[in-house]
Amino acid sequence: MPEVISECRRCNNTFTITEYDQKFYSKVSAPHPTLCPVCRMQNRMAYRNERALFSTACGLCKKQILSIYNPKHDFVVYCNDCWWRDNWDPADYGKEIDWNRSLIDQWNELRRTVPRLALVNLNSENSEYTNMSADNKDCYLLFAAENNENCSYGKLVQNCKDCFDCSYTYDSELCYGSINIRNCYSSVYLEDCENVRDCGFSTGLRGCNNVFLSSNLHNKEYYISNQPVPKEEYHQRMAELMKDAASIKECIKQWRDLAKGRVVRYASNIKSPDCTGDVLTNCKRVYESYDVTGGQDSSYVTDALDPRDTYDASFVYYQPELVYDSLSMLQCYNVQYSVFAYYTSDSQYCDQVHNSKNLMLSSCVRGKENMILNKQYSPEEYKELREKVIEKMKADGEYGELPDMKHSLFAYNDTVAHEYFPLTKVEATALGVEWNDEADEKLAKSFNLTKPEKVFYEALGLPEPIEHPEKRHQTRMSYRNPRQLWNRQCMCKQTDHDHSAQCLNEFDTTYAESAPENVYCEECYKKSMY
């Protein structure tokens, strides 16, 4: 089966459909994609709003609630308690199939009519301002987060306590302004650090204590600017370096300058041989994927736990299998072209469905099966109609991909897509997607500090922030590499690394040619660091 070279219908770049890809498409009976991997990622991420919260009234009990849906659209939105009650039935909103109209149009009409769950916030205490989150206590403006206490202004924060303004942060306590950290304590402004304590403004630390303005140090203590410092002098200099807001601003500048010439490994992959992407852990045969743990035989996947035979999926957890071109899922099997599906199987073109199977073009369904456009059918009727639906969608050019992002229920700049693929309002409008002008205006507005964060800043000796929390989030996210690969040659020129001039090894990396770091292959990186 030879490789196929195709042209993306959105960006016009060429992309390769590998033999491996084609076998998967055949397995799920999918046609070849018409968008390149990058545009496919952007398209599905435009269906996920994590951070934009709106005040509205529950459509059933009428109490004021927070919702991810902008009230200007007049969607019917239920609070968590009402949405899960048995006193209403999503099947009551079921529609007969109109064979003379676009089925995607009919599905979108249904999506805008059936009552929607306001946001996803489960088993949490005093954490109303959180979304895509669960099991949190005393948390505020925390997103895609679980099992945290007294944490605020974070994304993908898990098992943490007293962490503020942190993203991609795990098993940490008393941390601030950091990204990509694990098992860190009482530290500020860290990036790509693990098992550190009382450190600050540093990158690439492992097993360090009392390290400041340094990079690529392992098992060190009392270092400033990558140089050892006597303990007494260290604390004196630390007090001077962090004496006021202006000093901390200068430290941030020096911290970001550490990237210039810093030696980095081409990818932050662990026990993932023969895989391509970044931040892959314990993966096998996983390609062009990012932030994946335990993946097998999957490609073009992001933010995933234990995916199997899964392609073009983001925010999919608990062993998704045979999932394709989908977003935001828990433990799904054989689900394609869908968003927000939980414990669901054998379904296509679904939106916000739970504990269901054999669904097609359905929305906001709980514990149902054999449904098309939310209308219930017998198993025999469903099977026959499903084939006719697919046949019509193919004839209309609508089958085989998640619908264009213009069908998202969210403004583009309120979605995760805008974090990784930022657009201007003009660019977004040209693509036919909605834009929220208020989101941009919000960044210039004043904001209040909560009592817990005031206590936190005082405990760590930090000045109160003057930038809006959303602006601070955007700044942190800009520190992450793009989710895109470039083929590059190892930059190592050290002659004691078994090569006479520059190393000839090549690799795929998320570090672009313009990146300020020195990007090394695995072998040269290990020889340099150890």
Side-chain angles (χ1 to χ4, degrees), residues 149-272:
E149 182 176 351
N150 193 37
C151 296
S152 297
Y153 313 120
K155 172 188 173 77
L156 280 166
V157 178
Q158 296 183 341
N159 304 311
C160 292
K161 184 178 180 180
D162 300 320
C163 290
F164 287 68
D165 278 306
C166 291
S167 300
Y168 291 85
T169 295
Y170 311 95
D171 308 307
S172 297
E173 185 175 352
L174 280 172
C175 291
Y176 181 77
S178 300
I179 190 164
N180 301 342
I181 65 171
R182 185 180 297 273
N183 195 26
C184 294
Y185 178 80
S186 188
S187 298
V188 299
Y189 296 104
L190 300 180
E191 181 182 8
D192 298 332
C193 293
E194 187 170 353
N195 299 322
V196 307
R197 183 185 182 98
D198 297 315
C199 295
F201 304 93
S202 295
T203 303
L205 304 183
R206 298 290 185 272
C208 293
N209 298 330
N210 295 290
V211 171
F212 199 82
L213 282 172
S214 298
S215 66
N216 287 15
L217 293 182
H218 293 193
N219 304 314
K220 300 296 184 182
E221 188 172 13
Y222 298 112
Y223 270 64
I224 296 178
S225 299
N226 278 58
Q227 297 298 318
V229 176
K231 181 177 179 179
E232 297 75 14
E233 181 184 339
Y234 177 87
H235 290 296
Q236 291 174 0
R237 290 177 61 181
M238 278 285 296
E240 181 66 21
L241 287 166
M242 295 189 65
K243 65 182 179 182
D244 53 31
S247 300
I248 289 178
K249 185 177 181 180
E250 176 60 26
C251 286
I252 293 174
K253 180 181 180 300
Q254 293 182 43
W255 173 43
R256 301 322 304 164
D257 286 342
L258 291 175
K260 298 175 181 177
R262 175 186 167 226
V263 172
V264 295
R265 189 159 49 120
Y266 76 100
S268 298
N269 298 341
I270 300 172
K271 295 182 180 179
S272 300

Side-chain angles (χ1 to χ4, degrees), residues 46-240:
Y47 278 80
R48 180 179 170 107
N49 169 19
E50 289 179 351
R51 311 179 62 82
L53 304 181
F54 304 90
S55 179
T56 189
C58 172
L60 198 57
C61 70
K62 307 305 179 183
K63 73 178 181 181
Q64 284 299 118
I65 58 172
L66 290 170
S67 168
I68 57 175
Y69 301 100
N70 194 322
K72 74 176 185 179
H73 292 303
D74 294 325
F75 298 142
V76 178
V77 177
Y78 285 1
C79 67
N80 190 70
D81 290 341
C82 289
W83 197 85
W84 285 102
R85 285 179 184 169
D86 294 331
N87 61 346
W88 73 280
D89 190 348
D92 292 341
Y93 297 82
K95 303 291 185 183
E96 294 281 354
I97 301 169
D98 185 342
W99 298 103
N100 296 315
R101 296 180 56 219
S102 158
L103 285 165
I104 292 298
D105 286 349
Q106 293 177 64
W107 182 45
N108 282 326
E109 290 166 5
L110 173 68
R111 294 170 65 218
R112 287 164 168 77
T113 304
V114 65
R116 307 193 65 80
L117 181 61
L119 45 72
V120 180
N121 182 356
L122 304 175
N123 305 320
S124 294
E125 177 183 342
N126 190 32
S127 303
E128 291 79 7
Y129 286 80
T130 62
N131 182 40
M132 309 294 176
S133 298
D135 304 305
N136 295 305
K137 181 181 179 182
D138 300 327
C139 293
Y140 179 70
L141 292 180
L142 205 63
F143 306 100
E146 297 175 329
N147 300 305
N148 303 291
E149 182 176 351
N150 193 37
C151 296
S152 297
Y153 313 120
K155 172 188 173 77
L156 280 166
V157 178
Q158 296 183 341
N159 304 311
C160 292
K161 184 178 180 180
D162 300 320
C163 290
F164 287 68
D165 278 306
C166 291
S167 300
Y168 291 85
T169 295
Y170 311 95
D171 308 307
S172 297
E173 185 175 352
L174 280 172
C175 291
Y176 181 77
S178 300
I179 190 164
N180 301 342
I181 65 171
R182 185 180 297 273
N183 195 26
C184 294
Y185 178 80
S186 188
S187 298
V188 299
Y189 296 104
L190 300 180
E191 181 182 8
D192 298 332
C193 293
E194 187 170 353
N195 299 322
V196 307
R197 183 185 182 98
D198 297 315
C199 295
F201 304 93
S202 295
T203 303
L205 304 183
R206 298 290 185 272
C208 293
N209 298 330
N210 295 290
V211 171
F212 199 82
L213 282 172
S214 298
S215 66
N216 287 15
L217 293 182
H218 293 193
N219 304 314
K220 300 296 184 182
E221 188 172 13
Y222 298 112
Y223 270 64
I224 296 178
S225 299
N226 278 58
Q227 297 298 318
V229 176
K231 181 177 179 179
E232 297 75 14
E233 181 184 339
Y234 177 87
H235 290 296
Q236 291 174 0
R237 290 177 61 181
M238 278 285 296
E240 181 66 21

Side-chain angles (χ1 to χ4, degrees), residues 287-335:
Y287 307 109
E288 291 196 44
S289 297
Y290 310 90
D291 295 282
V292 178
T293 297
Q296 291 186 21
D297 301 305
S298 300
S299 295
Y300 319 116
V301 174
T302 70
D303 304 290
L305 178 62
D306 298 329
R308 302 286 189 274
D309 279 312
T310 288
Y311 266 54
D312 288 294
S314 297
F315 304 101
V316 290
Y317 305 101
Y318 306 152
Q319 205 164 331
E321 187 172 352
L322 293 177
V323 168
Y324 175 51
D325 209 3
S326 296
L327 170 106
S328 301
M329 294 190 165
L330 297 180
Q331 200 169 320
C332 286
Y333 176 81
N334 193 30
V335 176

Side-chain angles (χ1 to χ4, degrees), residues 8 80 84 115 137 263 269 279 281 316 347 356 382 390 452 454:
C8 177
N80 190 70
W84 285 102
K137 181 181 179 182
V263 172
N269 298 341
V279 197
T281 303
V316 290
S347 299
S356 299
Y382 173 81
I390 292 176
K454 288 182 179 180

Side-chain angles (χ1 to χ4, degrees), residues 391-454:
E391 183 180 340
K392 173 176 168 53
M393 292 181 72
K394 286 180 177 179
D396 293 345
E398 294 183 330
Y399 185 77
E401 291 179 308
L402 186 68
D404 189 275
M405 58 187 180
K406 67 183 180 183
H407 296 298
S408 170
L409 301 182
F410 310 110
Y412 185 86
N413 55 330
D414 285 338
T415 70
V416 176
H418 194 54
E419 295 182 0
Y420 288 98
F421 310 98
L423 299 176
T424 64
K425 181 179 179 179
V426 172
E427 291 169 333
T429 303
L431 290 171
V433 295
E434 182 187 344
W435 189 264
N436 181 10
D437 290 320
E438 294 179 357
D440 295 331
E441 296 168 1
K442 180 174 67 175
L443 298 181
K445 290 183 178 179
S446 60
F447 57 94
N448 297 321
L449 301 179
T450 65
K451 184 177 179 180
E453 66 179 306
K454 288 182 179 180

